[in-house]
Amino acid sequence: MSTPTPTHPTPDAKPTATDATTGTGKPSNFLRQIIEADLANGTYAQRKWGGSPGDAAHHAKGQSDPAKIRTRFPPEPNGYLHVGHAKSICLNFGLARDYGGVCHLRFDDTNPEKEDVEYVNSIRDTIKWLGFDWNGSADAEPYHASDYFDFMYRAAEYLIEAGLAYVDEQSAEQMRANRGDFGKPGVDSPFRGRTPAENLARFREMRDGKHEDGSMVLRAKIDMASPNINLRDPAIYRIRRATHHNTGDKWCIYPMYTYAHPIEDALEQITHSICTLEFEDQRPFYDWLLVRLIEGNLLANPPPRQYEFARLNLTYVITSKRKLAQLVYDHKVEGWDDPRMPTIVGLRRRGYTPAALQLFAERIGVTKSDSWIDYSTLEGCLREDLELKAHRGFAVLNPVKLIMTNWDEVMGAGHLEPCTQPALPNPPQGTEPPPPRHFTIGKEVWIDREDFEEVPPKGYKRLFPPSIDGNGNAVAGNKVRLKGGYVIECTGCNKDAAGTITEVLATVVPDTKSGTPGSETVKVKGVITWVGVADGVNAEVRMYDRLFLDAQPDAGGKDFIENLNPNSLKVMTAIVEPSLANAEAGQQFQFERHGYFVADRVDHVTGSKPVFNLAVGLKDGWGK
Ligand code: ATP
Ligand code: MG
């Protein structure tokens, strides 16, 4: 076997987010450039695939790898995925899809804490919902890092025998002190000079439970004077008596993440191992380890390469599982899927679509330097997607009754006139328009309070009553069109003892029904939405605002709990048109003039009333 080259192609090329597109038709970026160069150079063309993860011998027996590249998404199953993970998922699964590759879902469960099935199932569902499958098939089993413990142990014994690892019995404090710092080289451990035979015996004692937790560790033997502190003999195995959800009590020693991760990648024949920037300093150890294990014929050549990209930072959003968990456990939100949460289950309940999140990931691109993405970018992606897809509907969020006083006389007592409106005014090209919406108009309708002004501000085009202007001239009440219905003329209003308007009064103008001949002869400047009193349906509408007051809620050690927006949720009783009454949970709508809403599940709190969550307003209210 030839010795693998430890050199890296430098992934420092500036990202060209918009000026170049790759053969995939997607905007190029430094990762796409690296992959395209690897494909052009045949870097991975000779690789074999043994049909499952495995060591060098296993893959050598396999066929030539049908996957041109292999990427992976390796979550720790200790929480729900958030919008930052969505970026990583779209990136890793998207690159595999675009370049004839496969992306592995691997649960990184090397920590012997209990893996929670709740998290495991949610992660699987979320990835599927985002539109991806893993390991090349929609129903493949995900991989588990803990399945590789046997190999990791074998590799550790190999390193010991090759003189590349030793058991260190210094205390944690001694080890820390002897590691040195940026200005000071480390000091060799007194145990560094042990023979491989001594180390092997000690390591086996560690494995066999002969030593206390924390009493010794296995360290890679590299260079205590390295300018990269990660190469100053990093710990690779520790003693920890803990029952593992997968391997039970088989092990009382567990590999460290920095040791486990490159091995997991190599066993799975990953070609491009993409991680966030904080792992950049670990890359030399990643390479060091894989080169040694390939030299020992334990792992297949060529090794995977690690590339780093900037994690997503989104304004007004926290993307730390630990902090999100605190919001849930302290009851600051209603759960992991509270529509204000940046978890993917939360975004989903907020009305986000897979297409919107994929568009977002594409639009923000990948770069090599940290920055903050404005929340309005995320909202813009949702608006763009829903504009084309969300069926329209009328909803009155702050209702007041409007009475057409001449209705019985002009239209007939109790008459209800059927009306229709398109569900999608501009259906996507080449698609059948969905069936129109049906509702009725009668003597009484609900309108939004904001659509009537007793004393109209200058330029107001909606309903106002007749008045006398400053020169003593009579000004007629204003005419508006009830969208999809009739033109009406405002005649006044009724109030209660406190002066609150209880009813708006108007007359209907006959022969002006939308869509009938001659209906346009009466000109109006304003059009308002409305819902019939006869067929309107009460609904609960939840108006959400940003969860935090500051754009960077947890920056600089700020207490993010102190930073919660007390007005992030306002619950209203609205009245919606009948077509919305039986909306299925998850269905998005545009409430005309109000914004995009998504039907939520109906629960015991709301009784039988349909519930709608505000997904995003019609216009950008965050960028300003
Ligand atoms: P947290 O710190 O919130 O627990 P994590 O990085 O530990 O997050 P993992 O489950 O280990 O969470 O992450 C799985 C993958 O998701 C990793 O490859 C990680 O790089 C990626 N990831 C996590 N957060 C972000 C983010 N904000 N932006 C981009 N990628 C992310
Ligand atoms: Mg992690």
Side-chain angles (χ1 to χ4, degrees), residues 76 78 257 279 321:
E76 230 177 296
N78 61 354
Y257 178 84
F279 293 98
K321 273 186 273 183

Side-chain angles (χ1 to χ4, degrees), residues 72-89 92 108 123 257 261 274-279 309-314 319-324:
R72 87 284 174 274
F73 176 67
E76 230 177 296
N78 61 354
Y80 281 79
L81 300 180
H82 54 60
V83 61
H85 295 114
K87 174 180 181 179
S88 180
I89 291 169
N92 280 295
D108 207 327
I123 290 170
Y257 178 84
H261 200 82
I274 300 163
C275 62
T276 42
L277 283 176
E278 63 269 25
F279 293 98
F309 72 105
R311 64 186 289 115
L312 170 68
N313 297 309
L314 191 60
T319 50
S320 147
K321 273 186 273 183
R322 184 180 58 77
K323 290 177 185 168
L324 294 176

Side-chain angles (χ1 to χ4, degrees), residues 486-549:
Y486 291 89
V487 172
I488 57 169
E489 179 173 337
C490 188
T491 56
C493 67
N494 293 327
K495 296 182 192 174
D496 64 12
T500 307
I501 293 163
T502 51
E503 287 162 345
V504 176
L505 305 173
T507 51
V508 60
V509 181
D511 304 323
T512 56
K513 190 181 166 200
S514 297
T516 59
S519 65
E520 300 299 323
T521 50
V522 181
K523 296 286 175 217
V524 292
K525 292 216 179 73
V527 178
I528 65 172
T529 48
W530 55 279
V531 173
V533 169
D535 60 6
V537 177
N538 283 349
E540 178 171 313
V541 170
R542 297 175 187 155
M543 302 297 283
Y544 292 105
D545 198 353
R546 58 191 80 172
L547 187 52
F548 295 100
L549 296 169

Side-chain angles (χ1 to χ4, degrees), residues 300-311:
N301 195 25
R305 298 267 184 234
Q306 175 182 303
Y307 304 94
E308 307 87 19
F309 72 105
R311 64 186 289 115

Side-chain angles (χ1 to χ4, degrees), residues 392-428:
R392 288 359 184 211
F394 290 164
V396 175
L397 300 188
N398 186 11
V400 64
K401 195 179 276 182
L402 178 138
I403 302 176
M404 288 172 257
T405 51
N406 64 340
W407 182 272
D408 288 352
E409 192 185 312
V410 179
M411 307 293 298
H415 178 69
L416 290 176
E417 177 69 18
C419 305
T420 62
Q421 282 283 281
L424 270 186
N426 304 302

